Amino acid sequence: MTPEAKHMSNKFILELMDNCEVINHADIPEQQKVDNFKTLWAQLDGWAVKG
C-alpha cells in the first residue's frame, strides 16, 4: 500500500468512526440506527473492494 493510499485509508476509517458516533447519539429510532449502520457498512465494503 502506497503512503497516499494508507493516508486515505486512515482518513476514511476516522470519518467512518465519526459517522458511527453521530448515528449512535442521534435521537432516532433504533431500527433507523441499524439501517444507517448497514448503509455505512455497504459504503465501506464498496470502498474496500475498489481499494
Side-chain angles (χ1 to χ4, degrees), residues 7-35:
H7 171 74
M8 288 307 293
S9 177
N10 289 349
K11 185 174 184 230
F12 184 83
I13 290 167
L14 290 171
E15 284 181 22
L16 183 71
M17 286 166 41
D18 285 345
N19 286 336
C20 288
E21 277 296 303
V22 168
I23 292 170
N24 202 29
H25 295 293
D27 189 19
I28 55 177
E30 194 169 277
Q31 185 57 51
Q32 197 174 341
K33 287 182 183 183
V34 170
D35 293 342

PDB file of all heavy atoms in Angstrom, residues 7-35:
ATOM      1  N   HIS A   7      -2.816   6.818   3.839  1.00  0.00           N
ATOM      2  CA  HIS A   7      -3.380   8.052   4.392  1.00  0.00           C
ATOM      3  C   HIS A   7      -4.882   8.113   4.119  1.00  0.00           C
ATOM      4  O   HIS A   7      -5.666   8.424   5.008  1.00  0.00           O
ATOM      5  CB  HIS A   7      -2.673   9.279   3.802  1.00  0.00           C
ATOM      6  CG  HIS A   7      -3.338  10.567   4.166  1.00  0.00           C
ATOM      7  ND1 HIS A   7      -3.252  11.106   5.432  1.00  0.00           N
ATOM      8  CD2 HIS A   7      -4.108  11.409   3.445  1.00  0.00           C
ATOM      9  CE1 HIS A   7      -3.957  12.235   5.461  1.00  0.00           C
ATOM     10  NE2 HIS A   7      -4.475  12.436   4.273  1.00  0.00           N
ATOM     11  N   MET A   8      -5.282   7.799   2.871  1.00  0.00           N
ATOM     12  CA  MET A   8      -6.702   7.827   2.519  1.00  0.00           C
ATOM     13  C   MET A   8      -7.474   6.782   3.315  1.00  0.00           C
ATOM     14  O   MET A   8      -8.583   7.030   3.770  1.00  0.00           O
ATOM     15  CB  MET A   8      -6.887   7.588   1.013  1.00  0.00           C
ATOM     16  CG  MET A   8      -6.455   8.761   0.152  1.00  0.00           C
ATOM     17  SD  MET A   8      -7.208  10.338   0.619  1.00  0.00           S
ATOM     18  CE  MET A   8      -8.917  10.007   0.209  1.00  0.00           C
ATOM     19  N   SER A   9      -6.865   5.622   3.504  1.00  0.00           N
ATOM     20  CA  SER A   9      -7.498   4.561   4.271  1.00  0.00           C
ATOM     21  C   SER A   9      -7.721   5.013   5.713  1.00  0.00           C
ATOM     22  O   SER A   9      -8.812   4.858   6.261  1.00  0.00           O
ATOM     23  CB  SER A   9      -6.627   3.306   4.238  1.00  0.00           C
ATOM     24  OG  SER A   9      -7.189   2.296   5.032  1.00  0.00           O
ATOM     25  N   ASN A  10      -6.695   5.589   6.318  1.00  0.00           N
ATOM     26  CA  ASN A  10      -6.819   6.077   7.697  1.00  0.00           C
ATOM     27  C   ASN A  10      -7.869   7.174   7.797  1.00  0.00           C
ATOM     28  O   ASN A  10      -8.682   7.191   8.720  1.00  0.00           O
ATOM     29  CB  ASN A  10      -5.471   6.616   8.203  1.00  0.00           C
ATOM     30  CG  ASN A  10      -4.474   5.510   8.448  1.00  0.00           C
ATOM     31  OD1 ASN A  10      -4.807   4.335   8.438  1.00  0.00           O
ATOM     32  ND2 ASN A  10      -3.225   5.886   8.641  1.00  0.00           N
ATOM     33  N   LYS A  11      -7.858   8.091   6.823  1.00  0.00           N
ATOM     34  CA  LYS A  11      -8.819   9.190   6.818  1.00  0.00           C
ATOM     35  C   LYS A  11     -10.241   8.640   6.716  1.00  0.00           C
ATOM     36  O   LYS A  11     -11.147   9.078   7.419  1.00  0.00           O
ATOM     37  CB  LYS A  11      -8.507  10.125   5.643  1.00  0.00           C
ATOM     38  CG  LYS A  11      -9.360  11.356   5.608  1.00  0.00           C
ATOM     39  CD  LYS A  11      -8.909  12.300   4.501  1.00  0.00           C
ATOM     40  CE  LYS A  11      -9.718  13.558   4.557  1.00  0.00           C
ATOM     41  NZ  LYS A  11     -10.289  13.965   3.312  1.00  0.00           N
ATOM     42  N   PHE A  12     -10.423   7.654   5.838  1.00  0.00           N
ATOM     43  CA  PHE A  12     -11.739   7.056   5.640  1.00  0.00           C
ATOM     44  C   PHE A  12     -12.231   6.403   6.938  1.00  0.00           C
ATOM     45  O   PHE A  12     -13.370   6.572   7.343  1.00  0.00           O
ATOM     46  CB  PHE A  12     -11.670   6.023   4.517  1.00  0.00           C
ATOM     47  CG  PHE A  12     -13.003   5.420   4.192  1.00  0.00           C
ATOM     48  CD1 PHE A  12     -13.877   6.068   3.341  1.00  0.00           C
ATOM     49  CD2 PHE A  12     -13.388   4.202   4.742  1.00  0.00           C
ATOM     50  CE1 PHE A  12     -15.109   5.521   3.036  1.00  0.00           C
ATOM     51  CE2 PHE A  12     -14.619   3.657   4.444  1.00  0.00           C
ATOM     52  CZ  PHE A  12     -15.479   4.314   3.579  1.00  0.00           C
ATOM     53  N   ILE A  13     -11.334   5.670   7.601  1.00  0.00           N
ATOM     54  CA  ILE A  13     -11.698   4.985   8.845  1.00  0.00           C
ATOM     55  C   ILE A  13     -12.064   5.990   9.929  1.00  0.00           C
ATOM     56  O   ILE A  13     -13.048   5.808  10.646  1.00  0.00           O
ATOM     57  CB  ILE A  13     -10.565   4.043   9.297  1.00  0.00           C
ATOM     58  CG1 ILE A  13     -10.474   2.863   8.327  1.00  0.00           C
ATOM     59  CG2 ILE A  13     -10.787   3.558  10.731  1.00  0.00           C
ATOM     60  CD1 ILE A  13      -9.229   2.028   8.463  1.00  0.00           C
ATOM     61  N   LEU A  14     -11.310   7.068  10.029  1.00  0.00           N
ATOM     62  CA  LEU A  14     -11.625   8.100  11.024  1.00  0.00           C
ATOM     63  C   LEU A  14     -12.977   8.742  10.733  1.00  0.00           C
ATOM     64  O   LEU A  14     -13.766   8.984  11.652  1.00  0.00           O
ATOM     65  CB  LEU A  14     -10.517   9.163  11.057  1.00  0.00           C
ATOM     66  CG  LEU A  14      -9.198   8.678  11.648  1.00  0.00           C
ATOM     67  CD1 LEU A  14      -8.109   9.725  11.429  1.00  0.00           C
ATOM     68  CD2 LEU A  14      -9.338   8.367  13.134  1.00  0.00           C
ATOM     69  N   GLU A  15     -13.260   9.000   9.462  1.00  0.00           N
ATOM     70  CA  GLU A  15     -14.561   9.563   9.094  1.00  0.00           C
ATOM     71  C   GLU A  15     -15.683   8.582   9.419  1.00  0.00           C
ATOM     72  O   GLU A  15     -16.746   8.966   9.890  1.00  0.00           O
ATOM     73  CB  GLU A  15     -14.596   9.924   7.607  1.00  0.00           C
ATOM     74  CG  GLU A  15     -13.832  11.184   7.294  1.00  0.00           C
ATOM     75  CD  GLU A  15     -13.891  11.553   5.827  1.00  0.00           C
ATOM     76  OE1 GLU A  15     -14.819  11.107   5.117  1.00  0.00           O
ATOM     77  OE2 GLU A  15     -12.992  12.291   5.389  1.00  0.00           O
ATOM     78  N   LEU A  16     -15.432   7.309   9.164  1.00  0.00           N
ATOM     79  CA  LEU A  16     -16.419   6.283   9.468  1.00  0.00           C
ATOM     80  C   LEU A  16     -16.714   6.257  10.974  1.00  0.00           C
ATOM     81  O   LEU A  16     -17.868   6.182  11.390  1.00  0.00           O
ATOM     82  CB  LEU A  16     -15.911   4.915   9.007  1.00  0.00           C
ATOM     83  CG  LEU A  16     -16.876   3.753   9.193  1.00  0.00           C
ATOM     84  CD1 LEU A  16     -18.026   3.861   8.201  1.00  0.00           C
ATOM     85  CD2 LEU A  16     -16.166   2.438   9.000  1.00  0.00           C
ATOM     86  N   MET A  17     -15.665   6.354  11.783  1.00  0.00           N
ATOM     87  CA  MET A  17     -15.841   6.360  13.234  1.00  0.00           C
ATOM     88  C   MET A  17     -16.670   7.572  13.669  1.00  0.00           C
ATOM     89  O   MET A  17     -17.558   7.452  14.518  1.00  0.00           O
ATOM     90  CB  MET A  17     -14.477   6.360  13.941  1.00  0.00           C
ATOM     91  CG  MET A  17     -13.796   5.007  13.867  1.00  0.00           C
ATOM     92  SD  MET A  17     -12.039   4.979  14.318  1.00  0.00           S
ATOM     93  CE  MET A  17     -11.943   6.054  15.706  1.00  0.00           C
ATOM     94  N   ASP A  18     -16.392   8.723  13.069  1.00  0.00           N
ATOM     95  CA  ASP A  18     -17.173   9.929  13.377  1.00  0.00           C
ATOM     96  C   ASP A  18     -18.636   9.724  13.019  1.00  0.00           C
ATOM     97  O   ASP A  18     -19.535  10.083  13.781  1.00  0.00           O
ATOM     98  CB  ASP A  18     -16.633  11.141  12.614  1.00  0.00           C
ATOM     99  CG  ASP A  18     -15.335  11.670  13.209  1.00  0.00           C
ATOM    100  OD1 ASP A  18     -14.997  11.295  14.356  1.00  0.00           O
ATOM    101  OD2 ASP A  18     -14.667  12.463  12.525  1.00  0.00           O
ATOM    102  N   ASN A  19     -18.883   9.139  11.837  1.00  0.00           N
ATOM    103  CA  ASN A  19     -20.257   8.886  11.404  1.00  0.00           C
ATOM    104  C   ASN A  19     -20.964   7.930  12.362  1.00  0.00           C
ATOM    105  O   ASN A  19     -22.143   8.114  12.677  1.00  0.00           O
ATOM    106  CB  ASN A  19     -20.279   8.298   9.988  1.00  0.00           C
ATOM    107  CG  ASN A  19     -19.964   9.342   8.940  1.00  0.00           C
ATOM    108  OD1 ASN A  19     -20.146  10.525   9.149  1.00  0.00           O
ATOM    109  ND2 ASN A  19     -19.465   8.893   7.812  1.00  0.00           N
ATOM    110  N   CYS A  20     -20.246   6.920  12.845  1.00  0.00           N
ATOM    111  CA  CYS A  20     -20.829   5.961  13.792  1.00  0.00           C
ATOM    112  C   CYS A  20     -21.228   6.669  15.084  1.00  0.00           C
ATOM    113  O   CYS A  20     -22.294   6.401  15.634  1.00  0.00           O
ATOM    114  CB  CYS A  20     -19.845   4.837  14.091  1.00  0.00           C
ATOM    115  SG  CYS A  20     -19.632   3.701  12.708  1.00  0.00           S
ATOM    116  N   GLU A  21     -20.373   7.572  15.558  1.00  0.00           N
ATOM    117  CA  GLU A  21     -20.680   8.341  16.764  1.00  0.00           C
ATOM    118  C   GLU A  21     -21.951   9.152  16.571  1.00  0.00           C
ATOM    119  O   GLU A  21     -22.827   9.178  17.422  1.00  0.00           O
ATOM    120  CB  GLU A  21     -19.519   9.302  17.099  1.00  0.00           C
ATOM    121  CG  GLU A  21     -18.396   8.679  17.862  1.00  0.00           C
ATOM    122  CD  GLU A  21     -18.802   8.201  19.254  1.00  0.00           C
ATOM    123  OE1 GLU A  21     -19.287   9.028  20.049  1.00  0.00           O
ATOM    124  OE2 GLU A  21     -18.646   7.011  19.527  1.00  0.00           O
ATOM    125  N   VAL A  22     -22.042   9.825  15.420  1.00  0.00           N
ATOM    126  CA  VAL A  22     -23.210  10.661  15.126  1.00  0.00           C
ATOM    127  C   VAL A  22     -24.476   9.813  15.125  1.00  0.00           C
ATOM    128  O   VAL A  22     -25.475  10.156  15.752  1.00  0.00           O
ATOM    129  CB  VAL A  22     -23.034  11.393  13.774  1.00  0.00           C
ATOM    130  CG1 VAL A  22     -24.335  12.031  13.322  1.00  0.00           C
ATOM    131  CG2 VAL A  22     -21.934  12.435  13.890  1.00  0.00           C
ATOM    132  N   ILE A  23     -24.419   8.683  14.418  1.00  0.00           N
ATOM    133  CA  ILE A  23     -25.591   7.800  14.344  1.00  0.00           C
ATOM    134  C   ILE A  23     -25.947   7.277  15.730  1.00  0.00           C
ATOM    135  O   ILE A  23     -27.112   7.281  16.133  1.00  0.00           O
ATOM    136  CB  ILE A  23     -25.333   6.606  13.389  1.00  0.00           C
ATOM    137  CG1 ILE A  23     -25.218   7.108  11.950  1.00  0.00           C
ATOM    138  CG2 ILE A  23     -26.443   5.564  13.509  1.00  0.00           C
ATOM    139  CD1 ILE A  23     -24.726   6.049  10.973  1.00  0.00           C
ATOM    140  N   ASN A  24     -24.939   6.857  16.480  1.00  0.00           N
ATOM    141  CA  ASN A  24     -25.181   6.263  17.790  1.00  0.00           C
ATOM    142  C   ASN A  24     -25.852   7.236  18.753  1.00  0.00           C
ATOM    143  O   ASN A  24     -26.685   6.841  19.565  1.00  0.00           O
ATOM    144  CB  ASN A  24     -23.857   5.764  18.378  1.00  0.00           C
ATOM    145  CG  ASN A  24     -24.064   4.702  19.426  1.00  0.00           C
ATOM    146  OD1 ASN A  24     -25.040   3.966  19.382  1.00  0.00           O
ATOM    147  ND2 ASN A  24     -23.160   4.632  20.355  1.00  0.00           N
ATOM    148  N   HIS A  25     -25.512   8.521  18.655  1.00  0.00           N
ATOM    149  CA  HIS A  25     -26.051   9.510  19.592  1.00  0.00           C
ATOM    150  C   HIS A  25     -27.244  10.280  19.036  1.00  0.00           C
ATOM    151  O   HIS A  25     -27.791  11.131  19.718  1.00  0.00           O
ATOM    152  CB  HIS A  25     -24.946  10.485  20.022  1.00  0.00           C
ATOM    153  CG  HIS A  25     -23.866   9.798  20.817  1.00  0.00           C
ATOM    154  ND1 HIS A  25     -24.085   9.264  22.068  1.00  0.00           N
ATOM    155  CD2 HIS A  25     -22.572   9.537  20.523  1.00  0.00           C
ATOM    156  CE1 HIS A  25     -22.965   8.708  22.509  1.00  0.00           C
ATOM    157  NE2 HIS A  25     -22.027   8.849  21.586  1.00  0.00           N
ATOM    158  N   ALA A  26     -27.631   9.964  17.806  1.00  0.00           N
ATOM    159  CA  ALA A  26     -28.768  10.656  17.191  1.00  0.00           C
ATOM    160  C   ALA A  26     -30.064  10.247  17.885  1.00  0.00           C
ATOM    161  O   ALA A  26     -30.197   9.129  18.393  1.00  0.00           O
ATOM    162  CB  ALA A  26     -28.836  10.313  15.710  1.00  0.00           C
ATOM    163  N   ASP A  27     -30.997  11.183  17.903  1.00  0.00           N
ATOM    164  CA  ASP A  27     -32.299  10.924  18.526  1.00  0.00           C
ATOM    165  C   ASP A  27     -33.237  10.336  17.472  1.00  0.00           C
ATOM    166  O   ASP A  27     -34.182  10.981  17.020  1.00  0.00           O
ATOM    167  CB  ASP A  27     -32.857  12.231  19.098  1.00  0.00           C
ATOM    168  CG  ASP A  27     -34.093  11.997  19.951  1.00  0.00           C
ATOM    169  OD1 ASP A  27     -34.305  10.841  20.393  1.00  0.00           O
ATOM    170  OD2 ASP A  27     -34.852  12.961  20.172  1.00  0.00           O
ATOM    171  N   ILE A  28     -32.934   9.110  17.063  1.00  0.00           N
ATOM    172  CA  ILE A  28     -33.733   8.421  16.048  1.00  0.00           C
ATOM    173  C   ILE A  28     -34.045   7.015  16.557  1.00  0.00           C
ATOM    174  O   ILE A  28     -33.365   6.509  17.445  1.00  0.00           O
ATOM    175  CB  ILE A  28     -32.997   8.347  14.682  1.00  0.00           C
ATOM    176  CG1 ILE A  28     -31.613   7.693  14.834  1.00  0.00           C
ATOM    177  CG2 ILE A  28     -32.883   9.723  14.048  1.00  0.00           C
ATOM    178  CD1 ILE A  28     -30.847   7.508  13.532  1.00  0.00           C
ATOM    179  N   PRO A  29     -35.077   6.374  15.993  1.00  0.00           N
ATOM    180  CA  PRO A  29     -35.434   5.012  16.429  1.00  0.00           C
ATOM    181  C   PRO A  29     -34.281   4.034  16.215  1.00  0.00           C
ATOM    182  O   PRO A  29     -33.456   4.223  15.319  1.00  0.00           O
ATOM    183  CB  PRO A  29     -36.620   4.646  15.546  1.00  0.00           C
ATOM    184  CG  PRO A  29     -37.145   5.939  15.008  1.00  0.00           C
ATOM    185  CD  PRO A  29     -35.982   6.887  14.968  1.00  0.00           C
ATOM    186  N   GLU A  30     -34.253   3.005  17.036  1.00  0.00           N
ATOM    187  CA  GLU A  30     -33.180   2.010  16.965  1.00  0.00           C
ATOM    188  C   GLU A  30     -33.077   1.385  15.576  1.00  0.00           C
ATOM    189  O   GLU A  30     -31.984   1.190  15.058  1.00  0.00           O
ATOM    190  CB  GLU A  30     -33.419   0.924  18.016  1.00  0.00           C
ATOM    191  CG  GLU A  30     -32.212   0.054  18.255  1.00  0.00           C
ATOM    192  CD  GLU A  30     -32.385  -0.829  19.479  1.00  0.00           C
ATOM    193  OE1 GLU A  30     -32.144  -0.358  20.601  1.00  0.00           O
ATOM    194  OE2 GLU A  30     -32.767  -1.996  19.288  1.00  0.00           O
ATOM    195  N   GLN A  31     -34.209   1.073  14.953  1.00  0.00           N
ATOM    196  CA  GLN A  31     -34.178   0.447  13.626  1.00  0.00           C
ATOM    197  C   GLN A  31     -33.526   1.374  12.603  1.00  0.00           C
ATOM    198  O   GLN A  31     -32.795   0.938  11.730  1.00  0.00           O
ATOM    199  CB  GLN A  31     -35.600   0.070  13.168  1.00  0.00           C
ATOM    200  CG  GLN A  31     -35.615  -0.692  11.846  1.00  0.00           C
ATOM    201  CD  GLN A  31     -34.776  -1.980  11.882  1.00  0.00           C
ATOM    202  OE1 GLN A  31     -34.927  -2.796  12.776  1.00  0.00           O
ATOM    203  NE2 GLN A  31     -33.885  -2.147  10.923  1.00  0.00           N
ATOM    204  N   GLN A  32     -33.774   2.677  12.737  1.00  0.00           N
ATOM    205  CA  GLN A  32     -33.171   3.636  11.810  1.00  0.00           C
ATOM    206  C   GLN A  32     -31.653   3.673  12.008  1.00  0.00           C
ATOM    207  O   GLN A  32     -30.896   3.777  11.043  1.00  0.00           O
ATOM    208  CB  GLN A  32     -33.777   5.016  12.031  1.00  0.00           C
ATOM    209  CG  GLN A  32     -33.520   5.963  10.880  1.00  0.00           C
ATOM    210  CD  GLN A  32     -34.253   7.281  11.035  1.00  0.00           C
ATOM    211  OE1 GLN A  32     -35.210   7.383  11.788  1.00  0.00           O
ATOM    212  NE2 GLN A  32     -33.800   8.281  10.311  1.00  0.00           N
ATOM    213  N   LYS A  33     -31.214   3.541  13.267  1.00  0.00           N
ATOM    214  CA  LYS A  33     -29.776   3.475  13.539  1.00  0.00           C
ATOM    215  C   LYS A  33     -29.170   2.250  12.862  1.00  0.00           C
ATOM    216  O   LYS A  33     -28.116   2.332  12.219  1.00  0.00           O
ATOM    217  CB  LYS A  33     -29.500   3.406  15.048  1.00  0.00           C
ATOM    218  CG  LYS A  33     -29.741   4.707  15.777  1.00  0.00           C
ATOM    219  CD  LYS A  33     -29.392   4.576  17.247  1.00  0.00           C
ATOM    220  CE  LYS A  33     -29.693   5.864  17.988  1.00  0.00           C
ATOM    221  NZ  LYS A  33     -29.303   5.805  19.384  1.00  0.00           N
ATOM    222  N   VAL A  34     -29.847   1.111  12.980  1.00  0.00           N
ATOM    223  CA  VAL A  34     -29.376  -0.130  12.361  1.00  0.00           C
ATOM    224  C   VAL A  34     -29.282   0.043  10.843  1.00  0.00           C
ATOM    225  O   VAL A  34     -28.275  -0.312  10.231  1.00  0.00           O
ATOM    226  CB  VAL A  34     -30.312  -1.311  12.726  1.00  0.00           C
ATOM    227  CG1 VAL A  34     -29.984  -2.542  11.897  1.00  0.00           C
ATOM    228  CG2 VAL A  34     -30.203  -1.628  14.209  1.00  0.00           C
ATOM    229  N   ASP A  35     -30.316   0.634  10.255  1.00  0.00           N
ATOM    230  CA  ASP A  35     -30.321   0.851   8.800  1.00  0.00           C
ATOM    231  C   ASP A  35     -29.177   1.772   8.387  1.00  0.00           C
ATOM    232  O   ASP A  35     -28.518   1.539   7.366  1.00  0.00           O
ATOM    233  CB  ASP A  35     -31.660   1.440   8.346  1.00  0.00           C
ATOM    234  CG  ASP A  35     -32.810   0.445   8.516  1.00  0.00           C
ATOM    235  OD1 ASP A  35     -32.536  -0.769   8.653  1.00  0.00           O
ATOM    236  OD2 ASP A  35     -33.974   0.888   8.510  1.00  0.00           O
TER     237      ASP A  35
END
